[in-house]
Amino acid sequence: MIRLNNVTLTFPDGDSHITAVDHVSLTAHPGTVTGITGPSGSGKSSLLAVAATLIRPDSGQVFIDDVDATTLDAREATDLRRDTIGIVFQQSNLLPSLTAHEQLSVMNELGSKHSKRTRSLAATRADELLDAVGLGDQRGKRPHQLSGGQRQRINIARALMNEPRVLLVDEPTSALDQERGASIIELILNLTDQMNTATLLVTHDLVHLPRMHGVVQLVDGKLSQATPAAA
Ligand SMILES: Nc1ncnc2c1ncn2[C@@H]1O[C@H](COP(=O)(O)OP(=O)(O)O)[C@@H](O)[C@H]1O
Ligand SMILES: [Mg+2]
């Protein structure tokens, strides 16, 4: 579960400041996708960065299950992020020289806990996830040999490597055509169900919203409308 409680985030702007996120509260439960929509500049990516514990808000709390991430120091937040949060950023940041399989398995090398055993578990998990995103037969391909949609699938698979409780995805369809975009949304809905993640999915593409369990809209950093999660 992820719960944002009355979160406000400002950025300095000359002598003044910009309120990117303005007293936002929202909860997402395991196995559900909450859509976050709103115009450009409304604070969607900022909200996701706070949820990801990458930026500490000015005020409010970010609960990942029972842990208030805003009380953690940088080191603890990094550990929490690695162990419980999967993040898919707007711009794909795959490493050009690595194969699809390596993009995933390298996740095991981050942090402290790698050994021969964890390495082999990571290799197996990478295979399973590449199958789950429909790229089992592309495991040896490098990013330049893959389409935009396939690269996005690898991004999503990579975010799931450490079995996160929370999955955060920023505009995954923005560089894709309608059909490939729809299949990425479909994939995120299916993976959320299979992996039981609490998923926040930012999209400004309204056609996808009816598929989600709940939708919130941001306008000028404020929640302007909230639909409760469907049963
Ligand atoms: N790192 C930053 N420094 C200063 N202002 C920022 C920064 N990131 C975002 N902003 C500002 O915060 C507001 C919300 O931006 P953002 O969260 O990127 O919106 P969205 O993702 O909905 O397009 C905008 O006014 C933007 O200019
Ligand atoms: Mg954004």
Side-chain angles (χ1 to χ4, degrees):
M1 183 202 71
I2 181 165
R3 182 160 69 90
L4 307 185
N5 182 41
N6 210 19
V7 165
T8 293
L9 174 70
T10 66
F11 291 110
D13 179 36
D15 296 338
S16 174
H17 61 266
I18 294 171
T19 303
V21 179
D22 197 351
H23 296 93
V24 168
S25 297
L26 95 94
T27 302
H29 295 285
T32 68
V33 178
T34 300
I36 300 175
T37 185
S40 178
S42 60
K44 304 181 298 295
S45 295
S46 300
L47 184 68
L48 228 54
V50 171
T53 75
L54 290 166
I55 306 181
R56 193 191 295 259
D58 297 51
S59 60
Q61 293 83 40
V62 177
F63 290 97
I64 308 292
D65 291 328
D66 293 329
V67 177
D68 178 1
T70 62
T71 64
L72 304 179
D73 66 27
R75 178 67 210 271
E76 292 169 328
T78 302
D79 288 348
L80 178 80
R81 202 179 312 122
R82 191 191 57 223
D83 295 340
T84 64
I85 303 175
I87 309 171
V88 181
F89 291 106
Q90 206 162 344
Q91 66 281 38
S92 134
N93 45 8
L94 298 176
L95 298 163
S97 62
L98 298 189
T99 66
H101 189 267
E102 288 163 348
Q103 307 282 347
L104 272 61
S105 55
V106 76
M107 295 300 286
N108 176 59
E109 309 296 327
L110 308 176
S112 49
K113 45 172 189 187
H114 46 83
S115 63
K116 216 174 206 173
R117 181 177 145 71
T118 58
R119 198 161 288 160
S120 117
L121 288 175
T124 306
R125 172 114 182 121
D127 281 332
E128 287 167 1
L129 282 169
L130 287 174
D131 283 339
V133 300
L135 292 178
D137 52 354
Q138 312 286 323
R139 61 197 297 285
K141 296 262 175 78
R142 293 187 165 76
H144 73 273
Q145 299 169 301
L146 297 164
S147 70
Q150 289 174 325
R151 287 198 290 266
Q152 192 57 281
R153 285 169 186 270
I154 292 172
N155 270 328
I156 294 165
R158 184 178 55 180
L160 292 166
M161 267 303 281
N162 292 341
E163 303 183 54
R165 313 276 302 129
V166 172
L167 179 63
L168 305 172
V169 191
D170 199 354
E171 310 231 29
T173 64
S174 53
L176 304 176
D177 62 37
Q178 192 74 45
E179 192 183 318
R180 289 198 177 81
S183 87
I184 290 289
I185 299 293
E186 189 67 38
L187 177 67
I188 292 167
L189 286 159
N190 287 337
L191 290 170
T192 295
D193 184 50
Q194 281 170 39
M195 314 275 167
N196 207 33
T197 54
T199 301
L200 300 182
L201 172 51
V202 170
T203 177
H204 58 234
D205 199 345
L206 302 178
V207 298
H208 303 310
L209 297 179
R211 307 286 319 278
M212 300 182 193
H213 301 90
V215 175
V216 298
Q217 188 179 5
L218 281 178
V219 175
D220 291 337
K222 291 191 190 65
L223 233 51
S224 76
Q225 160 205 324
T227 320

